[in-house]
Amino acid sequence: MSKIISIIISFLNRINKFTWKIIIFLSKFVKVNEVNHLDDKPEDVKYRLFNVDDPTIIEPFVEIEHKDWKQLVKNNNIKPIKRRNGKSITTNIKCPCCGAPKDYIYDNTGKQNQFQCKVCSFIFSNHKVKDVILKCPHCKHTLSLRASREDFDVYVCQNKKCSFYLNNKSSLNDHDMKLYKEHPEKIKLKYIYRKFNIDFPTLRKDYCEFVKSPINLSRAYYSQYIIGLCLTYHINYGLSYRQTASILKDVHEIFISYKTVENYCKAASSIVHPVLEFYPYELSDTIAADETYIKILGKTAYIFFYFDAIKKIVTSYRVYEKRDSLSSIKAAYSTLVKYDTLPDSLKVISDGNPIYNVAVQYWSQNGLPFNLYQVIGLSNKDDISKQYRSEKQIIERFNRTLKYYYRPKCGFSSLDNANSYMVLFATYNNFLRPNKKLDWNTPVKLDELDGINNMPNKWIELLNLGYKYSDIYR
């Protein structure tokens, strides 16, 4: 029976080969324009680039002049609003100017977030009283709140006669105009401003204290040299905790559990973190930025890298659960504070992800401006992509280097573990790993490491240096 089946399979394979020969032969006689519609290629759709508009006009809020709504209604014979759509205002709201009840209040947006009083024509919202007024820089019209996000509020200019809106609308071609009529959310015409609600002191504290230690390394059972061995095998050679414990047992006859190796490495990361963050780097004015993903308990998390493209120094390396604007703002902060004075020529090269534009806008508003150049796609379709493609490739190569060391670990068990590893990996890159582009020198040369020839003792010296830095910046 098995012999018959093998003969049938062999016969079917021959028929399959013969069929493909016929298809290839016939395809030579088919016109190219007749085959094009058979290509199963994805449609190349031009996506709209994220643009950051000009800064808004901020004016102090002037206390409104209170009026008597009853007197105005009596003098002008104003009647309550007749709502033709059958909807009513459900919130118990009054006009802050004249005190008119909701029977005299228009729902401007239909979403009960902006109102207009029929009695005194005052426009207001149901949010808390603001201390400033935001105005469009093009038409001086007061901005309206469109949406409230977790980290910022979105304001938009609703003036139909705004020069910014009219110019954008007149520049649309027939295709974009048709798209705008069908899907207006895909085309940006109106002026938009984002007001961030990020607490700067909290941001600073989070930047300094996001790495935590599970143990006190000064009270470790094993010697410092064994701790240096754990760091060398785990970080320099990319071994997992279990592999590190195994090689210590098989080669050095040191019986240590993988959990102890994990605790030593996490504790070491909290010690060297001040050195990594507060060392007086001499950075260039060219920074490459990118984000790559890792796995934490099977879920995707994101590492935001900022990397000095000339000095080969990692300036930002933190892991975040979300790839959002807040993560981008925090990652940029980790780089900007490493400069004593921001150079006017500071440029950050990234991909087309719009969260980098949000970071530029936020830090420009908070006194740390920098220039962003975005390399779009895989081919140079614009001058910026052509000019800065090499810097973008540098950060991509660094991402591949991380993946080489990260792969044996098969992900992390928690966000704290992932951040602890990234602190150690960035420390290794900046102070211990020779770089070919730097003539096989390390990106940062430490005088404390001169004369130390083996890597475990270099890690021990970095730990000692970490204690000194933690005392300075405590």
Side-chain angles (χ1 to χ4, degrees), residues 74-104:
K74 182 179 179 180
N75 294 340
N76 300 312
N77 194 22
I78 301 174
K79 297 181 180 180
I81 298 172
K82 295 182 179 180
R83 308 184 192 277
R84 296 183 179 86
N85 55 11
K87 296 181 179 179
S88 61
I89 297 178
T90 57
T91 58
N92 188 15
I93 195 166
K94 294 182 179 180
C95 174
C97 180
C98 66
K102 61 182 180 180
D103 293 337
Y104 294 88

Side-chain angles (χ1 to χ4, degrees), residues 120-277:
C120 63
S121 302
F122 185 73
I123 299 175
F124 61 98
S125 67
N126 58 352
H127 296 275
K128 62 180 181 180
V129 178
K130 50 191 177 182
D131 54 356
V132 295
I133 297 177
L134 305 177
K135 291 188 176 182
C136 174
H138 303 279
C139 66
K140 308 297 187 296
H141 191 270
T142 302
L143 302 182
S144 302
L145 179 66
R146 170 178 285 182
S148 294
R149 307 294 186 213
E150 183 178 356
D151 307 314
F152 58 88
D153 297 327
V154 180
Y155 289 84
V156 64
C157 178
Q158 300 287 6
N159 185 13
K160 296 292 185 179
K161 297 182 180 180
C162 178
S163 59
F164 183 83
Y165 168 77
L166 295 176
N167 291 337
N168 287 337
K169 190 174 182 179
S170 62
S171 64
L172 296 179
N173 55 34
D174 294 338
H175 176 269
D176 291 341
M177 181 59 74
K178 182 180 178 181
L179 178 63
Y180 176 69
K181 291 180 180 179
E182 296 177 354
H183 302 283
E185 73 279 359
K186 294 185 178 182
I187 303 292
K188 175 183 175 295
L189 298 181
K190 299 178 180 179
Y191 173 81
I192 291 178
Y193 174 74
R194 293 165 184 81
K195 183 182 178 183
F196 294 92
N197 304 317
I198 301 174
D199 185 9
F200 191 81
T202 303
L203 188 69
R204 169 75 180 178
K205 183 178 179 181
D206 178 68
Y207 155 73
C208 296
E209 302 178 0
F210 74 92
V211 180
K212 300 178 182 179
S213 174
I215 61 172
N216 187 349
L217 199 61
S218 62
R219 299 180 181 179
Y221 177 79
Y222 292 93
S223 66
Q224 285 190 335
Y225 186 78
I226 294 177
I227 296 173
L229 281 175
C230 293
L231 293 170
T232 300
Y233 286 127
H234 180 58
I235 304 301
N236 298 43
Y237 296 98
L239 302 183
S240 66
Y241 296 130
R242 295 178 186 272
Q243 290 171 330
T244 301
S246 179
I247 202 170
L248 288 174
K249 174 183 176 183
D250 297 340
V251 176
H252 302 277
E253 296 183 351
I254 299 173
F255 295 88
I256 185 173
S257 68
Y258 82 91
K259 192 64 179 177
T260 302
V261 174
E262 178 183 345
N263 289 336
Y264 285 170
C265 291
K266 291 179 67 175
S269 69
S270 66
I271 295 172
V272 300
H273 179 237
V275 182
L276 185 61
E277 283 299 328

Side-chain angles (χ1 to χ4, degrees), residues 335-348:
T335 298
L336 298 176
V337 294
K338 289 181 173 62
Y339 288 91
D340 291 334
T341 303
L342 283 184
D344 296 334
S345 59
L346 177 61
K347 47 185 174 290
V348 175

Side-chain angles (χ1 to χ4, degrees), residues 23-41:
I23 293 174
I24 294 172
F25 176 76
L26 293 176
S27 64
K28 297 179 181 179
F29 300 94
V30 181
K31 295 181 181 180
V32 177
N33 56 1
E34 293 178 357
V35 181
N36 283 341
H37 69 282
L38 299 176
D39 294 342
D40 189 18
K41 294 182 179 180

